[in-house]
């Protein structure tokens, strides 16, 4: 009898399990899917390297892009950087940067000529910021050669104001970032420079015995120092590099991100350097910096080596309120996941699952993003080798490589889903940027490709959670609220985000702050700590919408006299990192 009852219970259990399986099949979970849509959306941009056979180094470094609402119509436009001919180039026409206007119907139109931003220099990166606080985004273009500052005229056109602004750095600039170093309400500018490679001093690199020539590494060239320009508030900048304490003697910079790493209310800088130690410039609140990369643990790899840092990004992936770092590196170095432990960083590349899966790839662009709207930051990596004939040196590697998407597993690890979510085709990707291009509450990804067509990966995922998107308008702080800290409570937990656009590799993403909410149908609390020191809360009337938060229009919680005058921060519980 006992055996019969046991068997009956076992059958009942099997039936219950089967029923649950049927219900699960009838109610599938989220499906993560991105679709390559550039051509269908009218974006036909193709990057030109300008190569003429001499393997000049900048030909393989590719270029970046920027997402911005240049015309103020509420949707994101795209600005692509292009290169220019090397001596002896046999191509046709004259490569130029291209601006595409978002038509709001899923298509884009080339408006470069009308806007006046078709620079024909050897383009590398671009960054976006309203440096004159007039309500529209301006563009700063980094070149191998003189850089350009385009002021937005708020009528669909731009004016080249480089000379009067005083920011025409003539070297090889790779990336740059607008940020408010001294919290005076206007955006300063930090420019990352690389090395002195040029057609005039191009060196022969490769394997001499077999005459296999390859692009050189940065070790054979001299570094060029980064620059810091302080905004005078009158349309002009002053080169204040040395005054600000930024003495760069080693860096060969490619990527930069601004973020408050020590939670003290001011904005610091992380620079990803290629083959030299990475840097972290700690801000004392007055716009004076001290380099603390070695002290906080980000200068070298886990085994104490300088790596080939490319792109970098900051974000709170573990939900502890502190900003963590990503850095893309060369093959066999692994991409870096640097967890902020409270002013120092812990290398989590291998334990996160990202390190091992980057060994055979060269990462350039990379971004924190909530790809599935579950409230956790995922990771996108844009991959592509730098040596076209890499198989001659290593037959396990390839020039074109697949991009990667890592989903956050909420246990400090990530799962790679690129092959199944729309990133199965190899490419030679460089810059990457993230933003909601069609206003559906899902984050899309745009990439630039070296010597190839641009890529737009539209997020066509199904079954995702709710979302909230926030645009900031500073009144005492800088106009777009760069550097502000947002804390959102929903579904029994708190998410934090900082407002920044420059991240990844030579690229800028959208300024709108995106929160995935998962199954939460309401927001229980939202606070903003502005760079001015004002902390206030805002009511959120519902989810799945875009809101604009204006400084001074919320409910005041505190007035924090941040360290603009050199005293200790009174806002974000500063961390003592020994710097």
């Amino acid at each position: 009898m006992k055996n019969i009852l046991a068997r009956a219970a076992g059958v009942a259990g099997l039936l219950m399990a089967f029923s649950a399986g049927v219900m699960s099949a009838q109610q599938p979970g989220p499906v993560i899917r991105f679709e390559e849509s550039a051509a269908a959306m009218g974006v036909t941009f193709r990057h030109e390297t300008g190569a003429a056979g001499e393997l000049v180094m900048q030909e393989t470094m590719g270029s970046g892009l920027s997402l911005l609402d240049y015309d103020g119509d509420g949707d994101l436009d795209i600005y692509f950087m292009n290169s220019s001919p090397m001596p002896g180039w046999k191509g046709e026409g004259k490569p130029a940067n291209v601006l595409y206007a978002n038509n709001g119907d899923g298509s884009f139109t080339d408006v470069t000529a009308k806007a006046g931003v078709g620079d024909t220099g050897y383009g590398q990166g671009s960054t976006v910021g309203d440096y004159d606080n007039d309500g529209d985004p301006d563009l700063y273009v980094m070149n191998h050669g003189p850089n350009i500052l385009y002021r937005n005229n708020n009528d669909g056109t731009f004016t080249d104001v480089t000379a009067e602004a005083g920011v025409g750095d003539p070297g090889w600039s790779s990336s740059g970032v607008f940020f408010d170093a001294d919290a005076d309400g206007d955006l300063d500018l930090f420019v990352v420079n690389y090395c002195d490679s040029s057609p005039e001093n191009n060196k022969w690199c490769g394997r001499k015995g077999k005459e296999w020539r390859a692009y050189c590494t940065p070790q054979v060239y001299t570094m060029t120092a980064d620059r810091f320009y302080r905004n005078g508030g009158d349309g002009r900048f002053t080169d204040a590099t040395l005054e600000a304490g930024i003495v760069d003697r080693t860096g060969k910079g490619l990527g930069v991100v601004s973020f408050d790493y020590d939670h003290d209310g001011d904005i610091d800088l992380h620079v990803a350097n290629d083959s030299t130690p990475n840097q972290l410039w700690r801000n004392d609140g007055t716009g004076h910096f001290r380099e603390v990369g070695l002290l906080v643990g980000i200068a070298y790899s886990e085994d104490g080596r300088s790596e080939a840092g490319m792109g970098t990004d900051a974000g709170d992936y573990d939900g502890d309120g502190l900003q963590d770092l990503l850095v893309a590196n060369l093959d066999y170095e692994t991409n870096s996941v640097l967890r902020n432990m409270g002013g120092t960083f812990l290398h989590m590349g291998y334990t996160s699952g990202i390190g091992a899966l980057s060994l055979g790839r060269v990462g350039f662009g990379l971004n924190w993003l909530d790809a599935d709207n579950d409230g956790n930051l995922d990771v996108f990596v844009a991959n592509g080798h730098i040596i076209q004939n890499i198989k001659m040196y290593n037959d396990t590697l390839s020039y074109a490589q697949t991009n990667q998407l890592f989903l956050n597993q909420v246990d400090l690890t990530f799962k790679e889903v690129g092959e199944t979510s729309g990133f199965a085709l190899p490419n030679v990707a460089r810059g990457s940027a993230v933003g909601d291009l069609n206003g559906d509450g899902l984050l899309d990804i745009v990439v630039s490709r070296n010597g190839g067509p641009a890529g737009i990966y539209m997020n066509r995922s199904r079954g995702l959670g709710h979302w909230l998107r926030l645009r900031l308008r500073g009144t005492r702080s800088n106009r777009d609220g760069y550097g502000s800290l947002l804390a959102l409570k929903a579904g029994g937990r708190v998410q934090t985000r900082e407002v920044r656009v420059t991240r990844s590799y030579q690229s800028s993403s959208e300024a709108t702050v995106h929160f995935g909410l998962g199954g939460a149908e309401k927001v229980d609390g939202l606070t903003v700590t502005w760079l001015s020191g004002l902390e206030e809360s805002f009511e959120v009337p519902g989810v799945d919408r875009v809101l604009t938060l204006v400084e001074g229009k919320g409910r005041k919680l505190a007035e924090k006299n941040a360290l603009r005058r050199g005293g200790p921060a009174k806002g974000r519980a500063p961390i003592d990192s020994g710097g």
Side-chain angles (χ1 to χ4, degrees):
M1 186 68 174
K2 290 181 179 179
N3 289 336
I4 294 174
L5 290 174
R7 288 176 183 174
V11 170
L14 288 173
L15 288 173
M16 290 177 66
F18 176 76
S19 299
V22 171
M23 292 179 65
S24 176
Q26 291 174 344
Q27 299 176 339
V31 175
I32 310 302
R33 185 69 185 170
F34 287 78
E35 291 181 0
E36 167 62 274
S37 306
M41 301 176 84
V43 175
T44 58
F45 175 80
R46 184 180 183 88
H47 178 260
E48 173 57 63
T49 67
E54 292 302 314
L55 301 190
V56 182
M57 191 177 173
Q58 54 263 38
E59 297 167 359
T60 196
M61 300 308 291
S63 62
L65 67 134
S66 287
L67 302 182
L68 71 161
D69 182 7
Y70 90 98
D71 50 6
D73 63 357
D75 49 35
L76 285 173
D77 314 299
I78 311 175
Y79 185 65
F80 290 103
M81 299 293 296
N82 212 341
S83 301
S84 60
M86 288 292 176
W89 182 63
K90 304 296 184 183
E92 298 179 356
K94 196 168 186 179
N97 301 342
V98 176
L99 175 64
Y100 284 95
N102 191 330
N103 299 320
D105 59 0
S107 68
F108 288 81
T109 300
D110 183 342
V111 295
T112 312
K114 177 184 176 183
V117 290
D119 180 43
T120 57
Y122 206 98
Q124 295 292 277
S126 61
T127 190
V128 178
D130 185 1
Y131 81 93
D132 52 3
N133 278 333
D134 66 351
D136 47 48
D138 309 299
L139 264 173
Y140 186 67
V141 170
M142 277 74 65
N143 288 322
H144 184 279
N147 298 338
I148 295 176
L149 177 60
Y150 289 113
R151 185 185 65 215
N152 193 324
N153 299 320
N154 200 22
D155 60 1
T157 69
F158 290 79
T159 299
D160 181 345
V161 295
T162 312
E164 63 187 77
V167 291
D169 194 317
W172 181 354
S173 299
S174 55
S175 295
V177 56
F178 281 111
F179 75 115
D180 190 353
D182 47 10
D184 63 352
D186 51 36
L187 295 175
D188 308 299
L189 176 64
F190 182 78
V191 179
V192 174
N193 288 318
Y194 192 33
C195 61
D196 68 349
S197 168
S198 69
E200 292 72 32
N201 72 339
N202 188 36
K203 302 180 187 298
W204 201 103
C205 296
R207 189 170 296 174
K208 279 285 188 182
K210 297 186 177 182
E211 294 303 309
W212 292 353
R213 191 174 185 183
Y215 286 105
C216 292
T217 65
Q219 286 93 330
V220 304
Y221 294 104
T222 302
M223 60 82 65
T224 52
D226 301 339
R227 291 182 186 237
F228 171 68
Y229 296 97
R230 198 178 299 281
N231 192 333
D234 57 357
R236 292 176 292 182
F237 291 78
T238 301
D239 186 340
T241 310
L242 297 181
E243 174 192 323
I246 299 176
V247 181
D248 179 19
R249 296 190 178 96
T250 61
K252 296 176 181 177
L254 288 177
V256 63
V257 64
S258 59
F259 72 123
D260 183 4
Y261 92 93
D262 51 2
H263 213 61
D264 65 353
D266 57 46
I267 304 303
D268 313 296
L269 295 167
H270 174 256
V271 181
N273 289 315
D274 189 357
S275 77
T276 62
N278 292 335
Q279 296 159 324
L280 201 158
W281 295 99
R282 185 184 187 188
N283 191 342
D284 71 358
T286 67
H288 189 273
F289 298 83
R290 179 183 177 188
E291 209 287 300
V292 296
L294 182 61
L295 289 173
V296 303
I298 61 89
Y300 300 99
S301 66
E302 288 179 87
D303 54 358
R305 295 182 299 110
S306 295
E307 296 183 303
M310 313 290 189
T312 183
D313 196 5
D316 178 14
Y317 84 95
D318 54 1
D320 65 355
L322 300 174
Q323 301 293 302
D324 311 297
L325 282 171
L326 285 173
V327 185
N329 293 307
L330 197 66
D331 51 9
Y332 298 117
E333 291 182 347
T334 79
N335 294 334
S336 301
V337 180
L338 296 161
R339 187 183 180 200
N340 192 333
M341 303 302 292
T344 60
F345 291 83
L346 180 64
H347 286 263
M348 300 286 289
Y350 280 108
T351 56
S352 70
I354 290 178
L357 293 178
S358 63
L359 278 169
R361 292 177 169 89
V362 177
F364 275 88
L366 82 174
N367 300 86
W368 294 113
L369 77 159
D370 189 351
D372 52 4
N373 276 354
D374 66 351
N376 304 298
L377 290 180
D378 311 302
V379 177
F380 173 77
V381 187
N383 293 308
H385 214 283
I386 56 175
I387 300 175
Q388 290 176 308
N389 56 344
I390 187 60
K391 283 193 174 295
M392 297 172 67
Y393 298 90
N394 187 332
D395 61 9
T396 67
L397 300 176
S398 61
Y399 182 54
Q401 302 175 344
T402 55
N403 299 327
Q404 294 169 296
L405 180 66
F406 295 89
L407 295 184
N408 193 327
Q409 302 299 291
V410 204
D411 60 0
L412 302 180
T413 69
F414 294 82
K415 179 182 179 182
E416 212 282 305
V417 298
E419 291 284 333
T420 60
S421 60
F423 302 102
L425 294 179
N427 62 178
V428 185
R430 296 295 186 253
S432 62
V434 174
D436 183 359
L437 295 177
N438 58 354
D440 64 354
L442 305 179
L443 290 177
D444 311 301
I445 302 169
V446 186
V447 300
S448 61
R449 297 180 174 126
N450 196 49
I456 299 180
Y457 298 101
M458 296 300 295
N459 194 336
R460 308 296 190 192
S461 302
R462 302 190 305 275
L464 302 191
H466 296 290
W467 51 272
L468 183 68
R469 292 170 54 75
L470 303 170
R471 295 170 178 161
L472 270 61
R473 290 292 176 263
T475 53
R476 292 163 49 193
S477 304
N478 64 85
R479 171 74 181 192
D480 292 317
Y482 285 12
S484 299
L485 176 69
L486 293 85
L488 179 144
K489 184 177 181 180
R493 63 178 181 140
V494 177
Q495 300 180 52
T496 61
R497 301 281 188 271
E498 281 186 0
V499 183
R500 69 176 61 88
V501 298
T502 297
R503 49 203 186 100
S504 182
Y505 174 75
Q506 301 183 342
S507 299
S508 290
S509 293
E510 65 175 357
T512 301
V513 179
H514 181 95
F515 285 99
L517 302 176
E521 297 182 347
K522 68 184 183 74
V523 172
D524 300 312
L526 173 65
T527 64
V528 178
T529 304
W530 302 84
L531 212 56
S532 66
L534 174 64
E535 181 181 359
E536 53 186 344
S537 66
F538 289 86
E539 295 295 325
V540 178
V543 298
D544 300 334
R545 63 186 64 196
V546 182
L547 300 177
T548 298
L549 309 180
V550 180
E551 185 176 15
K553 298 295 185 180
R555 183 171 66 87
K556 181 177 175 181
L557 300 177
E559 186 76 29
K560 296 164 182 174
N561 298 317
L563 32 189
R564 321 310 171 208
R565 302 296 177 264
K570 299 181 178 62
R572 302 182 186 175
I575 296 160
D576 183 5
S577 65

